[in-house]
């Protein structure tokens, strides 16, 4: 078996075991939240008979082990149950809200890579100069406050005081886009509507930047620290003594070995955005899965809670598998170790 295939199989097997453990844990926690889900769903005016009937329908009157058995049986058929919050299948809700969150996270992840890594490279190349100090100050500000604080600050600055960006939503109300994939940036391009694409892109920039600021700061600072350490290696000194251009040394000989820790952090930050995006989505009224997850938790919507957490956990594990494969591609020693194993 090829080393990368062996690594992929190992990571997928581990991820599957973790996902089963997460399902057991969130199922137990969701059942332990104070309050009767049936009573919360039906409201205070519902009769005791109605509450009892709904409890029986949801299997809440059965032992938790039996309830989990029903859940696994339904999950094997792709059925996550009906949301008591929206009165729709949970899979329908996830299919509606997940693309908005993923689109926001993809743009934020692109910002982390396109801004964080180059800032770290420039900071390391001009280390101990005013350029380095300025970049370190900016990146320190980025990691010093959570995303929702930056969301409020950016909204006040660039939506109220300087009305450059829109305040809320994914696209203007006057623009209609036929949903195909659920990703507005993709659907507008598929429709050939570049005006709508520009509008959707303008809507997503501010929330995506607020969500990415912390990751940009971490990626830049970690890249700088690793590259400064790499610059002290003998082969860098040899390249400098041979008169290689500084840009070539920075991009080819110093950056690639320093990229592995930065890539790991970016992957973890990217995956964590799935759970951390809810406050940014709340500030910008972004109709995403994270915001939906908070709403169902407040209403103790058990099926929706479990479905949302499982999807977020699965995405987190998928991102980690992708990061592991990228690191194995960049670092040949990992591939050789898999081959030896």
């Amino acid at each position: 078996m090829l080393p990368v295939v062996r690594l992929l199989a190992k990571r997928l097997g581990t991820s599957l075991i973790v996902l089963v453990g997460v399902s057991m844990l969130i199922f137990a926690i969701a059942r332990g939240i104070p309050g009767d889900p049936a009573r919360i769903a039906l409201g205070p005016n519902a009769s005791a008979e109605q509450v009892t009937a709904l409890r029986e329908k949801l299997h809440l009157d059965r032992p938790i082990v039996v309830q989990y058995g029903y859940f696994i049986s339904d999950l094997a058929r792709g059925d996550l149950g009906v949301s008591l919050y929206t009165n729709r299948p949970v899979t329908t809700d996830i299919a509606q809200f997940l693309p908005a969150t993923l689109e926001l996270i993809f743009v934020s992840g692109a910002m982390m890579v396109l801004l964080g890594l180059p800032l770290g490279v420039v900071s390391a190349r001009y280390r101990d100069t005013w350029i380095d100090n300025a970049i370190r100050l900016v990146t320190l500000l980025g990691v010093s406050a959570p995303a929702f604080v930056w969301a409020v600050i950016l909204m006040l600055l660039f939506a109220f005081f300087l009305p450059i960006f829109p305040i809320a939503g994914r696209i203007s109300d006057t623009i209609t886009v036929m949903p195909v994939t659920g990703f507005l940036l993709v659907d507008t391009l598929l429709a050939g509507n570049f005006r709508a694409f520009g509008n959707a892109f303008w809507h997503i920039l501010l929330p995506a930047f607020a969500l990415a600021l912390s990751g940009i700061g971490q990626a830049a600072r970690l890249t700088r620290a690793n590259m400064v350490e790499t610059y002290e290696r003998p082969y860098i000194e040899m390249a400098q003594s041979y008169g290689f251009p500084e840009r070539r040394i920075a991009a080819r000989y110093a950056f690639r070995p320093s990229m592995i820790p930065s890539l790991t952090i970016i992957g973890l930050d990217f995956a964590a955005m799935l759970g951390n995006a809810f406050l940014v989505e709340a500030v910008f009224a972004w109709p995403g899965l994270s915001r939906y997850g908070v709403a169902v938790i407040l209403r103790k919507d058990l099926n929706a809670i479990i479905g949302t957490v499982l999807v977020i956990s699965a995405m987190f594990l998928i991102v980690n598998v992708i990061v592991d494969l990228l690191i194995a591609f960049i670092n040949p020693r990992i591939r050789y170790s898999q081959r030896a194993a």
Side-chain angles (χ1 to χ4, degrees), residues 137-161:
L137 177 61
V138 172
T139 55
L140 179 61
L141 289 175
V143 300
S144 62
F148 75 91
V149 174
W150 285 117
V152 174
I153 293 174
L154 292 174
M155 176 178 282
L156 290 175
L157 289 177
F158 299 108
F160 286 101
F161 297 118

mmCIF file of all heavy atoms in Angstrom, residues 137-161:
data_model
loop_
_atom_site.group_PDB
_atom_site.id
_atom_site.type_symbol
_atom_site.label_atom_id
_atom_site.label_comp_id
_atom_site.label_asym_id
_atom_site.label_seq_id
_atom_site.Cartn_x
_atom_site.Cartn_y
_atom_site.Cartn_z
ATOM 1 N N LEU A 137 3.355 44.089 15.731
ATOM 2 C CA LEU A 137 2.351 44.840 16.474
ATOM 3 C C LEU A 137 0.946 44.583 15.926
ATOM 4 O O LEU A 137 0.002 44.340 16.681
ATOM 5 C CB LEU A 137 2.675 46.335 16.411
ATOM 6 C CG LEU A 137 1.663 47.276 17.086
ATOM 7 C CD1 LEU A 137 1.554 46.966 18.575
ATOM 8 C CD2 LEU A 137 2.055 48.733 16.864
ATOM 9 N N VAL A 138 0.825 44.609 14.603
ATOM 10 C CA VAL A 138 -0.484 44.385 13.976
ATOM 11 C C VAL A 138 -0.986 42.973 14.261
ATOM 12 O O VAL A 138 -2.159 42.766 14.605
ATOM 13 C CB VAL A 138 -0.397 44.636 12.459
ATOM 14 C CG1 VAL A 138 -1.691 44.208 11.767
ATOM 15 C CG2 VAL A 138 -0.127 46.111 12.178
ATOM 16 N N THR A 139 -0.106 41.981 14.135
ATOM 17 C CA THR A 139 -0.529 40.599 14.380
ATOM 18 C C THR A 139 -0.842 40.359 15.856
ATOM 19 O O THR A 139 -1.723 39.559 16.189
ATOM 20 C CB THR A 139 0.549 39.620 13.910
ATOM 21 O OG1 THR A 139 1.811 39.941 14.543
ATOM 22 C CG2 THR A 139 0.724 39.698 12.409
ATOM 23 N N LEU A 140 -0.137 41.057 16.746
ATOM 24 C CA LEU A 140 -0.451 40.944 18.165
ATOM 25 C C LEU A 140 -1.842 41.487 18.456
ATOM 26 O O LEU A 140 -2.592 40.906 19.256
ATOM 27 C CB LEU A 140 0.594 41.687 18.995
ATOM 28 C CG LEU A 140 0.391 41.668 20.522
ATOM 29 C CD1 LEU A 140 0.424 40.231 21.046
ATOM 30 C CD2 LEU A 140 1.451 42.523 21.220
ATOM 31 N N LEU A 141 -2.203 42.582 17.803
ATOM 32 C CA LEU A 141 -3.563 43.114 17.958
ATOM 33 C C LEU A 141 -4.594 42.110 17.447
ATOM 34 O O LEU A 141 -5.675 41.975 18.014
ATOM 35 C CB LEU A 141 -3.688 44.439 17.189
ATOM 36 C CG LEU A 141 -2.956 45.643 17.778
ATOM 37 C CD1 LEU A 141 -3.073 46.841 16.841
ATOM 38 C CD2 LEU A 141 -3.514 45.993 19.155
ATOM 39 N N GLY A 142 -4.248 41.405 16.368
ATOM 40 C CA GLY A 142 -5.182 40.435 15.805
ATOM 41 C C GLY A 142 -5.499 39.293 16.746
ATOM 42 O O GLY A 142 -6.650 38.835 16.816
ATOM 43 N N VAL A 143 -4.492 38.817 17.486
ATOM 44 C CA VAL A 143 -4.712 37.673 18.378
ATOM 45 C C VAL A 143 -5.128 38.096 19.783
ATOM 46 O O VAL A 143 -5.436 37.241 20.614
ATOM 47 C CB VAL A 143 -3.434 36.800 18.474
ATOM 48 C CG1 VAL A 143 -3.044 36.278 17.113
ATOM 49 C CG2 VAL A 143 -2.280 37.594 19.094
ATOM 50 N N SER A 144 -5.139 39.392 20.057
ATOM 51 C CA SER A 144 -5.421 39.853 21.418
ATOM 52 C C SER A 144 -6.907 39.962 21.723
ATOM 53 O O SER A 144 -7.278 40.137 22.878
ATOM 54 C CB SER A 144 -4.759 41.224 21.653
ATOM 55 O OG SER A 144 -5.291 42.191 20.764
ATOM 56 N N ALA A 145 -7.756 39.877 20.716
ATOM 57 C CA ALA A 145 -9.193 40.008 20.938
ATOM 58 C C ALA A 145 -9.921 38.913 20.170
ATOM 59 O O ALA A 145 -9.486 38.520 19.078
ATOM 60 C CB ALA A 145 -9.687 41.386 20.496
ATOM 61 N N PRO A 146 -11.021 38.396 20.708
ATOM 62 C CA PRO A 146 -11.775 37.355 19.996
ATOM 63 C C PRO A 146 -12.459 37.908 18.763
ATOM 64 O O PRO A 146 -12.578 39.125 18.572
ATOM 65 C CB PRO A 146 -12.797 36.882 21.043
ATOM 66 C CG PRO A 146 -12.901 38.005 22.012
ATOM 67 C CD PRO A 146 -11.578 38.684 22.033
ATOM 68 N N ALA A 147 -12.960 36.995 17.931
ATOM 69 C CA ALA A 147 -13.503 37.383 16.630
ATOM 70 C C ALA A 147 -14.718 38.291 16.756
ATOM 71 O O ALA A 147 -14.890 39.220 15.963
ATOM 72 C CB ALA A 147 -13.855 36.130 15.829
ATOM 73 N N PHE A 148 -15.580 38.041 17.749
ATOM 74 C CA PHE A 148 -16.800 38.848 17.827
ATOM 75 C C PHE A 148 -16.488 40.293 18.210
ATOM 76 O O PHE A 148 -17.223 41.210 17.820
ATOM 77 C CB PHE A 148 -17.799 38.226 18.812
ATOM 78 C CG PHE A 148 -17.461 38.404 20.260
ATOM 79 C CD1 PHE A 148 -17.940 39.490 20.971
ATOM 80 C CD2 PHE A 148 -16.671 37.476 20.922
ATOM 81 C CE1 PHE A 148 -17.635 39.654 22.314
ATOM 82 C CE2 PHE A 148 -16.359 37.636 22.255
ATOM 83 C CZ PHE A 148 -16.837 38.723 22.960
ATOM 84 N N VAL A 149 -15.386 40.515 18.960
ATOM 85 C CA VAL A 149 -14.991 41.892 19.277
ATOM 86 C C VAL A 149 -14.568 42.613 18.000
ATOM 87 O O VAL A 149 -14.964 43.764 17.743
ATOM 88 C CB VAL A 149 -13.856 41.901 20.314
ATOM 89 C CG1 VAL A 149 -13.334 43.321 20.527
ATOM 90 C CG2 VAL A 149 -14.338 41.313 21.630
ATOM 91 N N TRP A 150 -13.763 41.947 17.179
ATOM 92 C CA TRP A 150 -13.371 42.540 15.905
ATOM 93 C C TRP A 150 -14.573 42.724 15.000
ATOM 94 O O TRP A 150 -14.617 43.682 14.209
ATOM 95 C CB TRP A 150 -12.315 41.676 15.227
ATOM 96 C CG TRP A 150 -10.964 41.784 15.842
ATOM 97 C CD1 TRP A 150 -10.249 40.790 16.452
ATOM 98 C CD2 TRP A 150 -10.152 42.962 15.943
ATOM 99 N NE1 TRP A 150 -9.054 41.268 16.915
ATOM 100 C CE2 TRP A 150 -8.964 42.606 16.619
ATOM 101 C CE3 TRP A 150 -10.315 44.278 15.530
ATOM 102 C CZ2 TRP A 150 -7.951 43.513 16.878
ATOM 103 C CZ3 TRP A 150 -9.309 45.198 15.784
ATOM 104 C CH2 TRP A 150 -8.143 44.811 16.457
ATOM 105 N N ALA A 151 -15.539 41.818 15.085
ATOM 106 C CA ALA A 151 -16.747 41.962 14.268
ATOM 107 C C ALA A 151 -17.479 43.255 14.608
ATOM 108 O O ALA A 151 -17.900 44.003 13.713
ATOM 109 C CB ALA A 151 -17.660 40.761 14.472
ATOM 110 N N VAL A 152 -17.626 43.537 15.903
ATOM 111 C CA VAL A 152 -18.298 44.767 16.321
ATOM 112 C C VAL A 152 -17.488 45.995 15.915
ATOM 113 O O VAL A 152 -18.031 46.986 15.401
ATOM 114 C CB VAL A 152 -18.545 44.745 17.841
ATOM 115 C CG1 VAL A 152 -19.111 46.082 18.321
ATOM 116 C CG2 VAL A 152 -19.488 43.612 18.221
ATOM 117 N N ILE A 153 -16.164 45.946 16.145
ATOM 118 C CA ILE A 153 -15.298 47.085 15.803
ATOM 119 C C ILE A 153 -15.335 47.362 14.297
ATOM 120 O O ILE A 153 -15.494 48.517 13.860
ATOM 121 C CB ILE A 153 -13.858 46.819 16.269
ATOM 122 C CG1 ILE A 153 -13.792 46.786 17.799
ATOM 123 C CG2 ILE A 153 -12.909 47.887 15.723
ATOM 124 C CD1 ILE A 153 -12.434 46.384 18.348
ATOM 125 N N LEU A 154 -15.204 46.312 13.490
ATOM 126 C CA LEU A 154 -15.201 46.496 12.036
ATOM 127 C C LEU A 154 -16.550 46.989 11.543
ATOM 128 O O LEU A 154 -16.619 47.807 10.606
ATOM 129 C CB LEU A 154 -14.833 45.174 11.348
ATOM 130 C CG LEU A 154 -13.393 44.698 11.546
ATOM 131 C CD1 LEU A 154 -13.206 43.320 10.930
ATOM 132 C CD2 LEU A 154 -12.408 45.687 10.928
ATOM 133 N N MET A 155 -17.631 46.507 12.148
ATOM 134 C CA MET A 155 -18.953 46.983 11.748
ATOM 135 C C MET A 155 -19.120 48.464 12.066
ATOM 136 O O MET A 155 -19.635 49.248 11.249
ATOM 137 C CB MET A 155 -20.050 46.167 12.437
ATOM 138 C CG MET A 155 -21.454 46.679 12.145
ATOM 139 S SD MET A 155 -22.748 45.695 12.896
ATOM 140 C CE MET A 155 -22.795 44.313 11.782
ATOM 141 N N LEU A 156 -18.679 48.867 13.265
ATOM 142 C CA LEU A 156 -18.778 50.281 13.634
ATOM 143 C C LEU A 156 -17.938 51.158 12.703
ATOM 144 O O LEU A 156 -18.368 52.242 12.289
ATOM 145 C CB LEU A 156 -18.339 50.474 15.090
ATOM 146 C CG LEU A 156 -19.269 49.918 16.166
ATOM 147 C CD1 LEU A 156 -18.643 50.067 17.541
ATOM 148 C CD2 LEU A 156 -20.623 50.612 16.127
ATOM 149 N N LEU A 157 -16.726 50.692 12.369
ATOM 150 C CA LEU A 157 -15.823 51.505 11.562
ATOM 151 C C LEU A 157 -16.243 51.570 10.095
ATOM 152 O O LEU A 157 -16.283 52.654 9.495
ATOM 153 C CB LEU A 157 -14.392 50.958 11.664
ATOM 154 C CG LEU A 157 -13.666 51.164 12.991
ATOM 155 C CD1 LEU A 157 -12.299 50.498 12.955
ATOM 156 C CD2 LEU A 157 -13.520 52.649 13.310
ATOM 157 N N PHE A 158 -16.547 50.401 9.502
ATOM 158 C CA PHE A 158 -16.707 50.335 8.052
ATOM 159 C C PHE A 158 -18.142 50.111 7.590
ATOM 160 O O PHE A 158 -18.379 49.940 6.392
ATOM 161 C CB PHE A 158 -15.819 49.225 7.490
ATOM 162 C CG PHE A 158 -14.361 49.447 7.746
ATOM 163 C CD1 PHE A 158 -13.681 48.675 8.677
ATOM 164 C CD2 PHE A 158 -13.668 50.440 7.082
ATOM 165 C CE1 PHE A 158 -12.333 48.878 8.921
ATOM 166 C CE2 PHE A 158 -12.325 50.653 7.317
ATOM 167 C CZ PHE A 158 -11.654 49.877 8.236
ATOM 168 N N ALA A 159 -19.093 50.083 8.537
ATOM 169 C CA ALA A 159 -20.489 49.977 8.138
ATOM 170 C C ALA A 159 -21.325 51.150 8.650
ATOM 171 O O ALA A 159 -22.312 51.523 8.011
ATOM 172 C CB ALA A 159 -21.097 48.664 8.642
ATOM 173 N N PHE A 160 -20.907 51.747 9.793
ATOM 174 C CA PHE A 160 -21.654 52.874 10.348
ATOM 175 C C PHE A 160 -20.922 54.201 10.098
ATOM 176 O O PHE A 160 -21.430 55.084 9.413
ATOM 177 C CB PHE A 160 -21.895 52.662 11.847
ATOM 178 C CG PHE A 160 -22.934 51.620 12.144
ATOM 179 C CD1 PHE A 160 -22.576 50.341 12.525
ATOM 180 C CD2 PHE A 160 -24.282 51.915 12.033
ATOM 181 C CE1 PHE A 160 -23.530 49.378 12.789
ATOM 182 C CE2 PHE A 160 -25.254 50.960 12.292
ATOM 183 C CZ PHE A 160 -24.880 49.687 12.673
ATOM 184 N N PHE A 161 -19.705 54.334 10.656
ATOM 185 C CA PHE A 161 -18.981 55.597 10.511
ATOM 186 C C PHE A 161 -18.526 55.821 9.069
ATOM 187 O O PHE A 161 -18.627 56.924 8.538
ATOM 188 C CB PHE A 161 -17.777 55.631 11.464
ATOM 189 C CG PHE A 161 -18.167 55.571 12.911
ATOM 190 C CD1 PHE A 161 -17.764 54.522 13.721
ATOM 191 C CD2 PHE A 161 -18.959 56.563 13.482
ATOM 192 C CE1 PHE A 161 -18.124 54.458 15.052
ATOM 193 C CE2 PHE A 161 -19.325 56.513 14.817
ATOM 194 C CZ PHE A 161 -18.905 55.458 15.607
#
